[in-house]
Amino acid sequence: MFNPEIETMPREQLRQLQFERLKKTVELVYENVPFYKQTFKEKGLQPGDLKSLDDLKLLPFTVKQDLRDNYPFALFAVPMSEVVRVHASSGTTGKPTVVGYTQNDIDIWAELIARCVAMAGGGKGDVIQVAYGYGLFTGGLGLHYGAERLGATVIPISGGNTRRQLMLMKDFGTTILCCTPSYALFLGEEAAEEGIDLINGQIKAGIFGAEPWSENMRKELEKVMGIKAYNIYGLSEIMGPGVSMECECQCGMHIMEDCFIPEIIDPETGETLPYGSKGELVFTTIAKEAFPLIRYRTRDISVLREEKCGCGRTFVRMERVMGRTDDMLIIRGVNVFPSQIESVLLEIGETEPHYLLVVDRQGNLDNLEVWVEVSEKMFSDEVRKLEELEKKLRHEIASVLGISAKIKLVEPKTIPRSEGKAKRVIDKREL
Amino acid sequence: MKVQQISVFLENKSGRLATLTDVLGKAGINIRALSIADTSDFGILRLIVNQPEEAFRILKEAGFTASLTDIIAVEVKDEPGGLAAILKILESAGINIEYLYAFLEKSSNDALVVFRVEQIEDAINLLTKNNVNLLKGAEVYKL
């Protein structure tokens, strides 16, 4: 265990710590973030009204739209001179969602990841292959600094280039692999094809996340790689990876409650639900300086469990994310909203675009096809121009989504419409 | 001298061409010439019919994406080098041909070829000046 004092803190003491930190955070945002001053005022609240941890439910929610409305930095609670790093994820209307970190935030994040890697059995002497993407996405750099903090050896290989991944895995003696579970399965398959024996190799664990997966995939991964496969959870708005992580008991992900307060709410009414109920996950950050968020609605559906865990940690656990309360898809670890496709089509001058996202998994890799109905406006009787249109769409969609998609031009009225409203997504993946 | 051609977007899947020709057939539209340009995913069907405006309306009603395009119908000597002579004239004036295809029937002893060019007015003037015979729309539709 990386930080036993915190990770096994008695619940009462932990709640006290949470309350102290919550008060500080609320004061911080009230004083420094005009958006929060405004929303608190609308609710007739002042930081002093917070009398106990239970009063958290009095505070207003924050939603993704608020992040967009305050693009890029208006929700930051410190001057930009204090911000040492920004990350961003693709937005729904072309503008990304931006998050910022002070040096202290980066240090805390590294500690959280160090705890996560330790949960997967990692420590000094381990060789950790970080095959999450490096860059604006939080996955790569998040895991990177935490693994270094732990004293492990990091291979910052980033995503892609499967042959090189396997070569370094073998030659450098990787013991822990970090990537999306679908990519891990793909690596496992390629290794088998190239005659690389992972089962009897050095690799012992995998830290997999950034997309939904299942117990079946876990079994498959553990079998083909001869490892223990751990689920990690996070979202850039809250911190990045490391908001929660499975311990060796593999019975849900421990939420780093000294830094984040989780709630489960009814997505319809916003009412807070007791532990054990299924609903929308909401997080309040209580240790962040640059970009604190109060009651951020993740749109992820899960259940919180408070029963004592066999590992000795006292942090509550969240179950695997079971779905979304919005239409967001995760494709190759990247968040995709159908409205992003719509924004591209509107930009090229379509007034009423009809489109469909068809997601499939072929050989463990996600495939996105975007079907676009050819309107009279888009149509040309020259093949060359239609191919140019296809190319343009492919390019624009790749730049907005951050992942590539195959464009398929289809005839009008061929995309199924239900109750007058077009169906936007067909997800054929079976996890 | 311009002739109207109907272009229709078709997905490459079985039965689409049959459906389309059935729609036209039931409406009494007669196809005079046709060509299909295709890629692996879709095709563009180009049609010269006896009543272009009517056919265009009917296809749109049937849910097809269609457009009307101006083309020229050129009489080409039915002998070796006949087409080459026409192409040379167009090339010398820098007129680009987007595509061309031949008619099934003849209007005279000459063959009839559909040209789609970018600079249609220039092409008409140029060919007429060079004594190449172009058919009027009305002549083509009633072939």
Side-chain angles (χ1 to χ4, degrees):
Chain A
M1 211 177 286
F2 184 77
N3 191 340
E5 192 195 335
I6 294 285
E7 292 175 72
T8 63
M9 186 180 276
R11 298 265 340 144
E12 238 347 275
Q13 199 184 331
L14 182 62
R15 282 176 62 83
Q16 191 53 43
L17 176 72
Q18 285 184 324
F19 182 51
E20 293 306 321
R21 288 184 171 179
L22 175 64
K23 276 195 292 190
K24 262 196 198 155
T25 298
V26 166
E27 273 161 28
L28 178 73
V29 298
Y30 188 81
E31 291 307 323
N32 298 293
V33 185
F35 164 78
Y36 278 117
K37 189 161 216 159
Q38 181 65 28
T39 55
F40 277 51
K41 271 193 178 152
E42 280 163 15
K43 286 212 150 204
L45 284 172
Q46 290 208 327
D49 295 333
L50 212 59
K51 301 291 183 212
S52 78
L53 199 54
D54 291 334
D55 289 342
L56 175 64
K57 60 174 177 288
L58 303 175
L59 302 181
F61 289 115
T62 311
V63 296
K64 201 171 182 106
Q65 184 62 43
D66 298 327
L67 273 57
R68 272 179 234 136
D69 294 344
N70 289 281
Y71 176 86
F73 305 138
L75 288 183
F76 288 9
V78 297
M80 275 309 281
S81 56
E82 295 300 313
V83 174
V84 300
R85 199 197 297 169
V86 289
H87 278 285
S89 60
S90 64
T92 52
T93 51
K95 296 270 192 198
T97 302
V98 187
V99 298
Y101 305 80
T102 63
Q103 185 57 52
N104 198 36
D105 292 337
I106 293 285
D107 292 344
I108 288 174
W109 189 14
E111 147 132 24
L112 299 187
I113 293 291
R115 291 182 201 168
C116 294
V117 180
M119 283 184 185
K124 210 172 158 62
D126 272 303
V127 178
I128 302 187
Q129 185 161 342
V130 180
Y132 284 115
Y134 277 65
L136 283 176
F137 174 57
T138 49
L141 287 167
L143 263 298
H144 180 100
Y145 284 94
E148 280 189 358
R149 164 67 67 86
L150 191 61
T153 307
V154 178
I155 310 175
I157 189 166
S158 194
N161 202 337
T162 304
R163 268 169 181 271
R164 193 170 54 173
Q165 297 273 1
L166 290 171
M167 182 180 76
L168 298 195
M169 191 180 287
K170 187 163 152 259
D171 296 348
F172 294 3
T174 298
T175 56
I176 299 177
L177 171 67
C178 309
C179 61
T180 59
S182 57
Y183 190 58
L185 272 174
F186 182 69
L187 280 175
E189 228 171 51
E190 292 294 298
E193 229 158 74
E194 299 205 5
I196 298 170
D197 179 12
L198 293 177
I199 296 170
N200 296 303
Q202 310 255 37
I203 186 163
K204 64 180 183 187
I207 298 175
F208 304 131
E211 68 182 14
W213 54 309
S214 63
E215 282 306 310
N216 280 339
M217 283 176 74
R218 189 208 301 272
K219 280 189 199 124
E220 181 68 15
L221 277 165
E222 295 193 335
K223 195 177 86 194
V224 300
M225 291 203 161
I227 57 170
K228 209 161 168 176
Y230 294 89
N231 198 1
I232 188 169
Y233 172 85
L235 59 166
S236 63
E237 296 93 315
I238 297 305
M239 184 63 107
V243 171
S244 70
M245 167 83 187
E246 273 178 347
C247 64
E248 69 270 19
C249 300
Q250 293 183 324
C251 56
M253 295 172 277
H254 288 285
I255 293 167
M256 305 298 176
E257 283 187 285
D258 58 322
C259 297
F260 317 107
I261 304 178
E263 294 171 272
I264 288 284
I265 63 159
D266 178 334
E268 300 294 323
T269 64
E271 188 194 343
T272 310
L273 302 175
Y275 287 142
S277 318
K278 186 169 157 181
E280 181 180 337
L281 254 180
V282 170
F283 285 107
T284 300
T285 70
I286 50 172
K288 266 170 86 184
E289 295 174 340
F291 187 62
L293 283 178
I294 305 295
R295 303 192 81 201
Y296 182 67
R297 293 186 60 162
T298 64
R299 304 287 173 192
D300 284 331
I301 296 169
S302 183
V303 176
L304 293 177
R305 302 271 176 210
E306 60 163 349
E307 295 82 9
K308 222 169 151 49
C309 182
C311 72
R313 287 180 186 82
T314 49
F315 292 163
V316 295
R317 286 161 290 145
M318 57 177 271
E319 289 189 8
R320 275 183 190 289
V321 173
M322 300 154 182
R324 298 275 305 171
T325 64
D326 60 9
D327 55 3
M328 188 182 90
L329 290 160
I330 302 184
I331 301 168
R332 280 171 250 154
V334 176
N335 299 350
V336 171
F337 291 92
S339 55
Q340 290 173 300
I341 308 287
E342 186 158 333
S343 74
V344 168
L345 293 170
L346 288 170
E347 219 152 275
I348 66 159
E350 273 310 297
T351 45
E352 213 185 309
H354 287 290
Y355 58 93
L356 179 71
L357 283 73
V358 182
V359 196
D360 207 348
R361 185 161 282 184
Q362 292 173 345
N364 296 317
L365 286 186
D366 291 340
N367 239 336
L368 172 62
E369 233 179 52
V370 178
W371 295 14
V372 179
E373 283 187 5
V374 176
S375 66
E376 247 174 84
K377 194 166 173 192
M378 284 186 218
F379 182 56
S380 157
D381 83 320
E382 288 166 39
V383 171
R384 179 171 53 88
K385 288 193 181 145
L386 282 179
E387 284 182 334
E388 270 166 24
L389 173 73
E390 247 180 9
K391 200 170 144 194
K392 185 174 178 186
L393 284 173
R394 190 165 63 236
H395 181 79
E396 297 281 320
I397 286 174
S399 95
V400 168
L401 298 187
I403 56 166
S404 58
K406 184 185 184 311
I407 307 299
K408 187 175 165 189
L409 299 178
V410 299
E411 289 174 27
K413 307 277 182 332
T414 51
I415 291 174
R417 287 145 168 85
S418 53
E419 294 146 30
K421 201 178 165 226
K423 192 173 162 63
R424 296 303 189 201
V425 175
I426 293 179
D427 197 338
K428 299 181 186 165
R429 293 175 293 184
E430 282 171 21
L431 302 182
Chain B
M1 285 300 169
K2 290 182 215 163
V3 178
Q4 283 194 312
Q5 169 198 261
I6 298 173
S7 307
V8 191
F9 180 82
L10 285 180
E11 268 177 73
N12 276 5
K13 61 185 185 192
S14 62
R16 294 309 293 157
L17 192 52
T19 308
L20 182 141
T21 47
D22 190 45
V23 166
L24 292 180
K26 284 198 172 119
I29 305 283
N30 206 346
I31 299 170
R32 313 307 326 169
L34 86 170
S35 108
I36 291 185
D38 68 333
T39 71
S40 56
D41 293 324
F42 62 84
I44 299 168
L45 175 68
R46 295 158 188 150
L47 296 167
I48 307 288
V49 300
N50 57 345
Q51 306 167 59
E53 305 269 357
E54 177 68 359
F56 177 63
R57 191 184 61 76
I58 287 165
L59 287 173
K60 274 191 19 177
E61 266 178 23
F64 287 96
T65 295
S67 66
L68 283 168
T69 314
D70 287 335
I71 52 99
I72 47 178
V74 182
E75 282 194 336
V76 178
K77 290 233 171 322
D78 193 1
E79 62 187 29
L83 182 58
I86 307 276
L87 293 177
K88 254 183 226 158
I89 296 170
L90 291 172
E91 194 204 340
S92 65
I95 291 173
N96 285 327
I97 298 162
E98 298 294 340
Y99 54 81
L100 54 80
Y101 55 96
F103 258 76
L104 309 174
E105 291 163 58
K106 293 181 173 185
S107 57
S108 62
N109 280 332
D110 293 340
L112 197 54
V113 175
V114 170
F115 281 75
R116 161 82 172 133
V117 295
E118 262 174 32
Q119 310 100 311
I120 191 161
E121 301 291 351
D122 294 351
I124 291 170
N125 291 337
L126 183 71
L127 291 171
T128 314
K129 223 186 287 165
N130 281 275
N131 300 318
V132 175
N133 193 30
L134 305 183
L135 265 65
K136 293 195 179 74
E139 295 173 291
V140 172
Y141 307 142
K142 67 171 196 237
L143 272 177

